Amino acid sequence: MRRLLILGAGTAGTMAANVLHRRLDDDWEVTVVEPSGAHLYQPGLLFLPFGRYDTADLKRPTHSTLHQGIHRVRGEVERVVPEADTVELTDGRRLPYDELVIATGTTPRPDQTPGMLDGGEWHRSVHEFYTLPGALALREALRGFHGGRLLVHITEMPIKCPVAPLEFTFLADAFFDDLGIRDRVDITYVTPLSAAFTQPVAARELGHMLERRGIALETDFVVERVDAERKRLVSFDERELPFDLLVTVPLNMGADFVARSGLGDELHYVHVDRHTSQSPDWPNVWALGDAADLPTSKAGSVAHFSVEVFVENFLQHVAGEPMTHAFDGHANCYVESGHGKAMLIDFNYDTQPLTGTYPVPRVGPFRLLEETRVNHLGKLAFRHLYWNVLLPGRPLPLPAHMSMAGKHPEPSHETVEV
Protein backbone atom coordinates (compact mmCIF):
# COMPACT_ATOMS: atom_id res chain seq x y z
CA MET A 1 0.00 0.00 0.00
CA ARG A 2 1.34 3.46 -0.97
CA ARG A 3 0.62 6.29 1.47
CA LEU A 4 -0.46 9.84 0.62
CA LEU A 5 -0.41 12.02 3.72
CA ILE A 6 -2.13 15.42 3.62
CA LEU A 7 -1.48 17.90 6.44
CA GLY A 8 -4.45 20.23 6.89
CA ALA A 9 -8.15 19.97 6.10
CA GLY A 10 -8.87 23.51 4.95
CA THR A 11 -9.93 24.38 1.41
CA ALA A 12 -6.86 23.11 -0.45
CA GLY A 13 -6.27 20.03 1.72
CA THR A 14 -9.90 18.90 1.54
CA MET A 15 -10.15 19.42 -2.21
CA ALA A 16 -6.88 17.57 -2.85
CA ALA A 17 -7.88 14.68 -0.60
CA ASN A 18 -11.30 14.22 -2.19
CA VAL A 19 -10.10 14.47 -5.80
CA LEU A 20 -7.06 12.24 -5.35
CA HIS A 21 -8.99 9.64 -3.35
CA ARG A 22 -11.31 9.33 -6.33
CA ARG A 23 -8.61 9.28 -9.01
CA LEU A 24 -5.80 7.25 -7.43
CA ASP A 25 -5.65 3.48 -7.73
CA ASP A 26 -6.82 1.22 -4.89
CA ASP A 27 -3.24 0.61 -3.80
CA TRP A 28 -3.11 4.16 -2.42
CA GLU A 29 -4.16 5.05 1.13
CA VAL A 30 -5.14 8.72 1.61
CA THR A 31 -4.83 10.15 5.14
CA VAL A 32 -5.61 13.68 6.33
CA VAL A 33 -4.07 15.07 9.52
CA GLU A 34 -5.93 17.96 11.14
CA PRO A 35 -6.29 19.26 14.70
CA SER A 36 -9.72 20.86 15.00
CA GLY A 37 -12.45 18.50 13.87
CA ALA A 38 -14.35 21.36 12.22
CA HIS A 39 -14.16 22.95 8.79
CA LEU A 40 -14.69 26.73 8.70
CA TYR A 41 -16.04 28.60 5.66
CA GLN A 42 -13.52 31.42 5.97
CA PRO A 43 -14.98 33.83 3.36
CA GLY A 44 -18.05 34.09 5.59
CA LEU A 45 -16.05 35.64 8.45
CA LEU A 46 -16.15 38.96 6.58
CA PHE A 47 -19.95 39.08 6.86
CA LEU A 48 -20.30 37.79 10.40
CA PRO A 49 -19.53 41.13 12.15
CA PHE A 50 -22.31 42.78 10.12
CA GLY A 51 -24.89 40.14 11.05
CA ARG A 52 -25.35 38.47 7.65
CA TYR A 53 -24.07 35.07 8.83
CA ASP A 54 -23.94 33.33 12.18
CA THR A 55 -21.56 30.64 13.42
CA ALA A 56 -23.83 27.80 12.34
CA ASP A 57 -23.67 29.04 8.73
CA LEU A 58 -19.88 28.76 8.63
CA LYS A 59 -18.89 25.50 10.38
CA ARG A 60 -19.29 21.83 9.51
CA PRO A 61 -17.63 18.74 11.00
CA THR A 62 -14.47 17.86 9.11
CA HIS A 63 -15.53 14.25 8.63
CA SER A 64 -18.60 15.42 6.70
CA THR A 65 -16.41 17.21 4.13
CA LEU A 66 -14.14 14.22 3.37
CA HIS A 67 -15.15 11.32 1.16
CA GLN A 68 -15.77 7.95 2.74
CA GLY A 69 -12.58 5.90 2.70
CA ILE A 70 -10.24 8.82 3.47
CA HIS A 71 -8.48 8.22 6.78
CA ARG A 72 -8.48 11.06 9.28
CA VAL A 73 -5.94 11.58 12.05
CA ARG A 74 -6.71 14.16 14.71
CA GLY A 75 -3.47 15.73 15.87
CA GLU A 76 -0.93 18.57 15.78
CA VAL A 77 2.17 18.33 13.63
CA GLU A 78 5.48 18.69 15.46
CA ARG A 79 7.69 18.50 12.38
CA VAL A 80 8.27 16.86 9.03
CA VAL A 81 11.37 14.71 8.63
CA PRO A 82 11.76 14.59 4.85
CA GLU A 83 14.97 12.55 5.07
CA ALA A 84 12.93 9.75 6.65
CA ASP A 85 9.61 10.37 4.81
CA THR A 86 7.94 10.77 8.19
CA VAL A 87 5.72 13.28 9.99
CA GLU A 88 6.00 13.53 13.77
CA LEU A 89 2.99 14.64 15.79
CA THR A 90 3.19 16.53 19.08
CA ASP A 91 1.85 13.50 20.97
CA GLY A 92 4.74 11.37 19.78
CA ARG A 93 3.04 9.49 16.96
CA ARG A 94 4.99 9.04 13.73
CA LEU A 95 3.25 8.89 10.35
CA PRO A 96 5.23 7.53 7.39
CA TYR A 97 4.42 8.66 3.86
CA ASP A 98 5.32 8.03 0.27
CA GLU A 99 3.95 11.42 -0.84
CA LEU A 100 3.28 14.40 1.43
CA VAL A 101 1.03 17.41 0.81
CA ILE A 102 1.31 20.37 3.20
CA ALA A 103 -1.90 22.42 3.23
CA THR A 104 -1.86 23.94 6.71
CA GLY A 105 -2.68 27.47 5.60
CA THR A 106 -1.71 30.75 7.18
CA THR A 107 -2.62 32.22 10.56
CA PRO A 108 -2.90 35.78 11.94
CA ARG A 109 -0.19 36.41 14.52
CA PRO A 110 -1.03 39.48 16.65
CA ASP A 111 1.73 38.43 19.05
CA GLN A 112 4.29 39.59 16.46
CA THR A 113 3.38 43.32 16.81
CA PRO A 114 4.18 44.96 20.16
CA GLY A 115 1.09 46.15 22.00
CA MET A 116 -1.39 44.44 19.69
CA LEU A 117 -2.10 41.33 21.74
CA ASP A 118 -0.46 42.30 25.02
CA GLY A 119 -1.70 45.86 25.37
CA GLY A 120 -4.92 44.94 27.18
CA GLU A 121 -7.24 46.07 24.35
CA TRP A 122 -7.33 42.87 22.26
CA HIS A 123 -10.96 42.16 21.32
CA ARG A 124 -11.96 45.35 23.20
CA SER A 125 -10.94 48.29 21.02
CA VAL A 126 -8.41 46.30 18.92
CA HIS A 127 -10.06 43.69 16.70
CA GLU A 128 -9.62 41.33 13.75
CA PHE A 129 -12.08 39.31 11.69
CA TYR A 130 -9.87 36.51 10.32
CA THR A 131 -10.78 34.07 13.11
CA LEU A 132 -14.18 33.00 14.37
CA PRO A 133 -13.64 34.36 17.92
CA GLY A 134 -12.31 37.59 16.42
CA ALA A 135 -15.26 38.05 14.06
CA LEU A 136 -17.73 37.38 16.88
CA ALA A 137 -16.00 39.88 19.18
CA LEU A 138 -15.97 42.47 16.39
CA ARG A 139 -19.70 41.96 15.84
CA GLU A 140 -20.32 42.96 19.46
CA ALA A 141 -17.95 45.93 19.14
CA LEU A 142 -19.77 47.23 16.05
CA ARG A 143 -23.11 46.94 17.81
CA GLY A 144 -21.81 49.21 20.56
CA PHE A 145 -19.97 51.67 18.32
CA HIS A 146 -21.92 54.89 17.84
CA GLY A 147 -19.25 57.15 16.40
CA GLY A 148 -15.55 57.99 16.45
CA ARG A 149 -12.36 57.09 14.61
CA LEU A 150 -12.25 53.70 12.90
CA LEU A 151 -8.94 52.47 11.50
CA VAL A 152 -8.86 49.46 9.17
CA HIS A 153 -5.27 48.33 9.08
CA ILE A 154 -2.95 45.81 7.40
CA THR A 155 0.23 44.98 9.28
CA GLU A 156 2.25 43.45 6.44
CA MET A 157 1.79 41.59 3.17
CA PRO A 158 1.16 38.85 2.21
CA ILE A 159 -2.16 38.19 3.94
CA LYS A 160 -4.95 35.72 3.42
CA CYS A 161 -7.52 37.17 0.99
CA PRO A 162 -5.82 40.56 0.42
CA VAL A 163 -9.07 42.24 -0.68
CA ALA A 164 -10.84 41.39 2.59
CA PRO A 165 -9.69 44.51 4.52
CA LEU A 166 -10.99 46.68 1.68
CA GLU A 167 -14.26 44.76 1.68
CA PHE A 168 -14.58 45.25 5.43
CA THR A 169 -13.99 48.98 4.96
CA PHE A 170 -16.69 49.30 2.29
CA LEU A 171 -19.14 47.20 4.31
CA ALA A 172 -18.45 49.30 7.42
CA ASP A 173 -19.17 52.45 5.42
CA ALA A 174 -22.51 51.00 4.27
CA PHE A 175 -23.27 49.61 7.75
CA PHE A 176 -22.89 52.99 9.43
CA ASP A 177 -24.76 54.65 6.57
CA ASP A 178 -27.71 52.32 7.07
CA LEU A 179 -27.65 53.10 10.80
CA GLY A 180 -27.75 56.81 9.99
CA ILE A 181 -24.49 57.54 11.83
CA ARG A 182 -22.00 57.61 8.96
CA ASP A 183 -21.35 61.33 9.53
CA ARG A 184 -20.22 60.46 13.05
CA VAL A 185 -17.64 57.88 11.95
CA ASP A 186 -14.23 58.88 10.59
CA ILE A 187 -12.84 55.91 8.61
CA THR A 188 -9.19 55.57 7.56
CA TYR A 189 -7.72 52.68 5.56
CA VAL A 190 -4.12 52.11 6.67
CA THR A 191 -1.79 50.01 4.54
CA PRO A 192 1.94 49.27 4.24
CA LEU A 193 1.52 49.48 0.46
CA SER A 194 1.94 52.65 -1.57
CA ALA A 195 -1.68 52.41 -2.82
CA ALA A 196 -5.00 50.83 -1.90
CA PHE A 197 -4.05 47.48 -3.45
CA THR A 198 -1.07 45.64 -4.85
CA GLN A 199 -1.74 45.81 -8.58
CA PRO A 200 -1.83 49.13 -10.44
CA VAL A 201 -5.18 49.05 -12.26
CA ALA A 202 -7.06 47.52 -9.32
CA ALA A 203 -5.30 49.90 -6.91
CA ARG A 204 -6.51 52.87 -8.96
CA GLU A 205 -10.13 51.68 -9.06
CA LEU A 206 -10.22 50.70 -5.39
CA GLY A 207 -8.59 54.00 -4.43
CA HIS A 208 -11.37 55.85 -6.26
CA MET A 209 -13.96 53.78 -4.40
CA LEU A 210 -12.44 54.81 -1.06
CA GLU A 211 -12.34 58.44 -2.13
CA ARG A 212 -15.99 58.46 -3.28
CA ARG A 213 -17.02 57.19 0.15
CA GLY A 214 -15.04 59.81 2.06
CA ILE A 215 -12.62 57.20 3.43
CA ALA A 216 -9.08 58.44 4.06
CA LEU A 217 -6.16 56.39 2.73
CA GLU A 218 -2.92 56.23 4.75
CA THR A 219 -0.21 54.52 2.68
CA ASP A 220 3.35 53.29 3.33
CA PHE A 221 2.46 52.83 7.00
CA VAL A 222 4.75 50.18 8.47
CA VAL A 223 3.47 49.64 11.98
CA GLU A 224 6.00 49.63 14.80
CA ARG A 225 3.57 49.14 17.70
CA VAL A 226 0.06 49.57 18.97
CA ASP A 227 -0.04 52.03 21.86
CA ALA A 228 -3.12 50.54 23.48
CA GLU A 229 -3.12 52.87 26.45
CA ARG A 230 -3.22 56.02 24.29
CA LYS A 231 -5.12 54.24 21.50
CA ARG A 232 -2.58 55.11 18.85
CA LEU A 233 -1.22 53.13 15.91
CA VAL A 234 2.47 54.03 15.63
CA SER A 235 4.65 53.55 12.55
CA PHE A 236 8.43 53.14 12.27
CA ASP A 237 8.61 56.61 10.67
CA GLU A 238 6.93 57.99 13.84
CA ARG A 239 3.49 58.69 12.42
CA GLU A 240 0.72 58.23 14.98
CA LEU A 241 -2.91 57.50 14.09
CA PRO A 242 -5.48 57.77 16.89
CA PHE A 243 -8.38 55.35 16.99
CA ASP A 244 -11.50 54.53 18.96
CA LEU A 245 -11.88 51.23 17.11
CA LEU A 246 -8.96 49.48 15.39
CA VAL A 247 -9.72 46.62 12.99
CA THR A 248 -6.37 45.16 12.07
CA VAL A 249 -5.05 42.32 9.95
CA PRO A 250 -2.16 41.00 12.03
CA LEU A 251 1.00 39.62 10.47
CA ASN A 252 0.12 36.37 8.66
CA MET A 253 2.43 33.39 9.06
CA GLY A 254 2.46 29.77 8.02
CA ALA A 255 2.56 26.89 10.49
CA ASP A 256 5.45 26.83 12.98
CA PHE A 257 6.27 23.19 12.17
CA VAL A 258 7.29 24.33 8.67
CA ALA A 259 10.13 26.33 10.22
CA ARG A 260 11.05 23.50 12.60
CA SER A 261 11.26 21.19 9.56
CA GLY A 262 13.50 23.52 7.55
CA LEU A 263 11.00 23.65 4.70
CA GLY A 264 9.98 27.31 4.66
CA ASP A 265 10.91 30.98 4.46
CA GLU A 266 11.02 33.55 7.27
CA LEU A 267 7.20 33.62 7.41
CA HIS A 268 7.02 29.81 7.47
CA TYR A 269 5.63 29.40 3.96
CA VAL A 270 6.80 26.26 2.16
CA HIS A 271 9.19 26.69 -0.75
CA VAL A 272 7.64 25.20 -3.89
CA ASP A 273 7.92 25.52 -7.63
CA ARG A 274 5.31 28.14 -8.57
CA HIS A 275 4.05 26.11 -11.53
CA THR A 276 3.89 22.62 -9.99
CA SER A 277 3.56 23.16 -6.19
CA GLN A 278 6.41 20.65 -5.72
CA SER A 279 9.26 21.21 -3.27
CA PRO A 280 12.53 21.92 -5.12
CA ASP A 281 14.42 19.92 -2.49
CA TRP A 282 12.10 16.97 -1.83
CA PRO A 283 10.27 15.61 -4.93
CA ASN A 284 7.69 13.79 -2.79
CA VAL A 285 6.77 16.92 -0.80
CA TRP A 286 4.16 19.38 -2.10
CA ALA A 287 2.46 22.47 -0.67
CA LEU A 288 -0.96 23.82 -1.61
CA GLY A 289 -3.07 26.86 -0.83
CA ASP A 290 -1.94 29.49 1.67
CA ALA A 291 0.83 27.24 3.03
CA ALA A 292 2.88 27.63 -0.15
CA ASP A 293 5.14 30.57 -0.98
CA LEU A 294 3.48 31.11 -4.37
CA PRO A 295 3.85 34.72 -5.61
CA THR A 296 0.11 35.20 -6.04
CA SER A 297 -2.83 35.96 -3.75
CA LYS A 298 -3.49 33.77 -0.75
CA ALA A 299 -7.09 33.32 -1.85
CA GLY A 300 -9.54 30.45 -2.06
CA SER A 301 -9.66 30.77 -5.84
CA VAL A 302 -5.89 30.18 -5.99
CA ALA A 303 -6.33 27.05 -3.90
CA HIS A 304 -9.04 25.87 -6.28
CA PHE A 305 -7.19 26.55 -9.54
CA SER A 306 -3.79 25.36 -8.28
CA VAL A 307 -5.24 22.10 -6.90
CA GLU A 308 -6.67 21.31 -10.34
CA VAL A 309 -3.22 21.69 -11.90
CA PHE A 310 -1.50 19.92 -9.00
CA VAL A 311 -3.73 16.83 -9.31
CA GLU A 312 -2.81 16.30 -12.96
CA ASN A 313 0.90 16.73 -12.25
CA PHE A 314 0.72 14.52 -9.15
CA LEU A 315 -0.88 11.67 -11.09
CA GLN A 316 1.86 11.90 -13.73
CA HIS A 317 4.54 12.08 -11.03
CA VAL A 318 3.44 8.93 -9.18
CA ALA A 319 3.13 7.14 -12.53
CA GLY A 320 6.78 7.95 -13.23
CA GLU A 321 5.92 10.30 -16.09
CA PRO A 322 7.09 13.89 -16.74
CA MET A 323 4.79 16.58 -15.33
CA THR A 324 3.27 18.55 -18.21
CA HIS A 325 0.92 21.01 -16.47
CA ALA A 326 1.83 24.49 -15.18
CA PHE A 327 -0.12 26.72 -12.79
CA ASP A 328 -0.16 30.35 -13.97
CA GLY A 329 -1.03 32.01 -10.63
CA HIS A 330 -4.68 32.46 -11.64
CA ALA A 331 -6.76 34.25 -8.99
CA ASN A 332 -10.16 35.86 -9.02
CA CYS A 333 -11.77 37.63 -6.11
CA TYR A 334 -15.12 39.25 -5.48
CA VAL A 335 -14.76 42.58 -3.68
CA GLU A 336 -17.88 43.42 -1.66
CA SER A 337 -18.48 47.17 -1.87
CA GLY A 338 -21.61 47.58 0.25
CA HIS A 339 -25.28 48.30 -0.44
CA GLY A 340 -25.69 45.03 -2.36
CA LYS A 341 -22.91 45.49 -4.90
CA ALA A 342 -19.51 43.95 -5.52
CA MET A 343 -16.55 44.16 -7.89
CA LEU A 344 -14.75 41.18 -9.44
CA ILE A 345 -11.03 41.05 -10.25
CA ASP A 346 -9.25 38.33 -12.25
CA PHE A 347 -5.48 38.10 -12.68
CA ASN A 348 -2.43 35.80 -12.68
CA TYR A 349 1.34 35.91 -12.24
CA ASP A 350 1.85 38.02 -15.35
CA THR A 351 -1.42 39.89 -16.00
CA GLN A 352 -2.97 42.41 -13.65
CA PRO A 353 -6.74 42.82 -13.23
CA LEU A 354 -8.45 44.18 -16.35
CA THR A 355 -11.92 45.38 -17.25
CA GLY A 356 -14.28 43.11 -19.22
CA THR A 357 -16.58 40.18 -18.48
CA TYR A 358 -16.22 36.83 -16.71
CA PRO A 359 -16.47 33.91 -17.25
CA VAL A 360 -18.17 34.13 -20.69
CA PRO A 361 -16.60 36.70 -23.08
CA ARG A 362 -18.90 39.70 -23.81
CA VAL A 363 -21.73 38.01 -21.84
CA GLY A 364 -20.52 37.68 -18.27
CA PRO A 365 -22.68 37.68 -16.28
CA PHE A 366 -19.99 39.12 -14.03
CA ARG A 367 -18.33 42.45 -14.80
CA LEU A 368 -14.65 42.91 -14.06
CA LEU A 369 -13.53 45.98 -12.10
CA GLU A 370 -17.12 47.26 -11.94
CA GLU A 371 -19.49 47.42 -8.97
CA THR A 372 -22.64 45.47 -9.88
CA ARG A 373 -25.53 43.72 -8.19
CA VAL A 374 -24.81 40.51 -10.14
CA ASN A 375 -21.25 40.41 -8.80
CA HIS A 376 -22.66 40.66 -5.27
CA LEU A 377 -25.07 37.80 -5.92
CA GLY A 378 -22.17 35.77 -7.29
CA LYS A 379 -20.29 36.30 -4.04
CA LEU A 380 -23.26 35.14 -1.97
CA ALA A 381 -23.84 32.12 -4.23
CA PHE A 382 -20.25 31.04 -3.77
CA ARG A 383 -21.03 29.62 -0.31
CA HIS A 384 -23.31 27.00 -1.88
CA LEU A 385 -20.68 26.15 -4.51
CA TYR A 386 -18.03 25.91 -1.83
CA TRP A 387 -19.79 23.27 0.26
CA ASN A 388 -21.37 21.32 -2.58
CA VAL A 389 -18.98 21.54 -5.53
CA LEU A 390 -15.49 22.77 -4.61
CA LEU A 391 -14.84 20.88 -1.37
CA PRO A 392 -16.18 17.54 -2.69
CA GLY A 393 -13.89 18.00 -5.70
CA ARG A 394 -16.64 18.10 -8.29
CA PRO A 395 -15.68 19.80 -11.58
CA LEU A 396 -16.61 23.44 -12.18
CA PRO A 397 -16.94 24.61 -15.79
CA LEU A 398 -14.21 27.21 -15.24
CA PRO A 399 -10.69 26.95 -16.66
CA ALA A 400 -7.88 26.74 -14.11
CA HIS A 401 -5.80 29.07 -16.26
CA MET A 402 -6.60 32.72 -16.77
CA SER A 403 -8.17 33.52 -20.11
CA MET A 404 -7.83 36.88 -21.88
CA ALA A 405 -11.10 36.33 -23.75
CA GLY A 406 -13.61 39.03 -22.81
CA LYS A 407 -11.00 41.23 -21.17
CA HIS A 408 -9.89 44.68 -22.25
CA PRO A 409 -6.11 45.00 -21.96
CA GLU A 410 -4.76 48.44 -21.21
CA PRO A 411 -1.20 49.47 -21.87
CA SER A 412 0.95 49.16 -18.80
CA HIS A 413 4.61 48.64 -18.17
CA GLU A 414 4.18 48.30 -14.43
CA THR A 415 5.24 45.09 -12.72
CA VAL A 416 2.55 42.80 -11.34
CA GLU A 417 3.01 42.47 -7.59
CA VAL A 418 1.12 40.47 -5.01
Side-chain angles (χ1 to χ4, degrees):
M1 181 67 73
R2 302 171 75 184
R3 294 157 299 201
L4 167 61
L5 194 59
I6 298 176
L7 308 182
T11 304
T14 302
M15 287 179 61
N18 286 333
V19 175
L20 286 174
H21 180 257
R22 185 174 67 244
R23 296 191 57 182
L24 286 168
D25 297 335
D26 291 340
D27 62 344
W28 278 91
E29 178 184 82
V30 180
T31 300
V32 174
V33 181
E34 57 89 24
S36 73
H39 187 103
L40 182 66
Y41 176 63
Q42 297 180 67
L45 293 174
L46 170 70
F47 294 106
L48 197 151
F50 301 104
R52 178 176 289 276
Y53 293 145
D54 212 333
T55 303
D57 300 316
L58 307 183
K59 288 179 72 175
R60 292 187 181 180
T62 299
H63 66 79
S64 70
T65 66
L66 294 171
H67 290 178
Q68 190 172 7
I70 296 175
H71 299 272
R72 188 165 63 89
V73 173
R74 188 90 174 261
E76 296 269 4
V77 176
E78 174 62 27
R79 66 174 183 145
V80 176
V81 188
E83 300 89 344
D85 294 336
T86 300
V87 170
E88 297 177 355
L89 303 186
T90 54
D91 61 8
R93 285 179 288 175
R94 293 171 178 263
L95 305 176
Y97 63 82
D98 293 289
E99 299 288 337
L100 176 69
V101 174
I102 300 173
T104 41
T106 184
T107 305
R109 295 288 298 270
D111 58 305
Q112 299 294 306
T113 301
M116 188 175 285
L117 186 62
D118 55 4
E121 288 295 314
W122 187 243
H123 290 178
R124 292 182 177 177
S125 63
V126 180
H127 289 267
E128 53 85 21
F129 60 91
Y130 275 67
T131 66
L132 184 57
L136 289 169
L138 181 53
R139 181 175 67 183
E140 295 307 309
L142 288 177
R143 287 173 176 173
F145 189 73
H146 303 297
R149 291 163 296 200
L150 166 63
L151 301 184
V152 183
H153 164 248
I154 300 170
T155 299
E156 186 176 325
M157 303 298 279
I159 60 172
K160 181 194 296 285
C161 191
V163 298
L166 282 160
E167 292 182 283
F168 181 87
T169 305
F170 297 137
L171 290 174
D173 169 77
F175 177 75
F176 294 127
D177 187 44
D178 290 341
L179 290 177
I181 62 169
R182 179 63 182 89
D183 59 342
R184 286 189 261 152
V185 182
D186 178 40
I187 305 177
T188 300
Y189 187 76
V190 187
T191 173
L193 302 172
S194 57
F197 195 57
T198 56
Q199 306 201 32
V201 175
R204 183 188 65 207
E205 296 300 324
L206 291 162
H208 290 163
M209 289 168 64
L210 292 172
E211 187 176 355
R212 287 197 296 270
R213 289 161 173 79
I215 297 169
L217 175 62
E218 186 80 19
T219 60
D220 300 310
F221 192 97
V222 182
V223 66
E224 185 263 330
R225 70 182 189 280
V226 176
D227 186 336
E229 183 178 351
R230 296 170 60 234
K231 292 191 175 178
R232 297 283 194 279
L233 197 60
V234 183
S235 68
F236 278 101
D237 60 5
E238 299 183 346
R239 279 178 282 171
E240 293 192 6
L241 301 177
F243 63 84
D244 297 295
L245 181 63
L246 170 62
V247 179
T248 185
V249 182
L251 180 70
N252 277 208
M253 295 179 68
D256 288 344
F257 78 81
V258 173
R260 290 194 292 267
S261 308
L263 294 172
D265 60 16
E266 69 279 5
L267 291 175
H268 306 177
Y269 297 125
V270 183
H271 296 305
V272 292
D273 181 279
R274 70 179 196 163
H275 296 300
T276 65
S277 301
Q278 185 182 40
S279 166
D281 302 314
W282 305 98
N284 63 341
V285 176
W286 315 73
L288 297 174
D290 296 345
D293 68 347
L294 296 179
T296 187
S297 282
K298 293 191 176 301
S301 60
V302 171
H304 166 214
F305 296 134
S306 65
V307 165
E308 287 194 6
V309 176
F310 155 75
V311 165
E312 302 304 324
N313 280 329
F314 183 86
L315 294 173
Q316 291 176 323
H317 165 77
V318 299
E321 301 169 357
M323 295 187 290
T324 59
H325 302 266
F327 179 55
D328 66 353
H330 188 196
N332 58 33
C333 306
Y334 291 99
V335 184
E336 275 293 308
S337 56
H339 296 305
K341 291 186 176 180
M343 175 189 282
L344 179 64
I345 57 177
D346 189 60
F347 57 98
N348 67 10
Y349 289 141
D350 303 312
T351 306
Q352 64 173 296
L354 301 169
T355 57
T357 57
Y358 183 88
V360 182
R362 293 185 294 277
V363 175
F366 305 117
R367 308 288 300 182
L368 297 169
L369 283 174
E370 291 183 30
E371 294 180 71
T372 72
R373 175 73 174 167
V374 173
N375 288 346
H376 166 70
L377 296 176
K379 172 113 179 178
L380 297 185
F382 181 72
R383 186 164 66 103
H384 175 80
L385 289 175
Y386 183 84
W387 291 120
N388 299 290
V389 180
L390 285 181
L391 280 191
R394 298 190 175 100
L396 264 180
L398 296 174
H401 296 94
M402 180 178 174
S403 169
M404 289 300 292
K407 295 184 174 67
H408 307 144
E410 58 176 76
S412 173
H413 301 291
E414 294 173 271
T415 302
V416 175
E417 299 175 347
V418 179

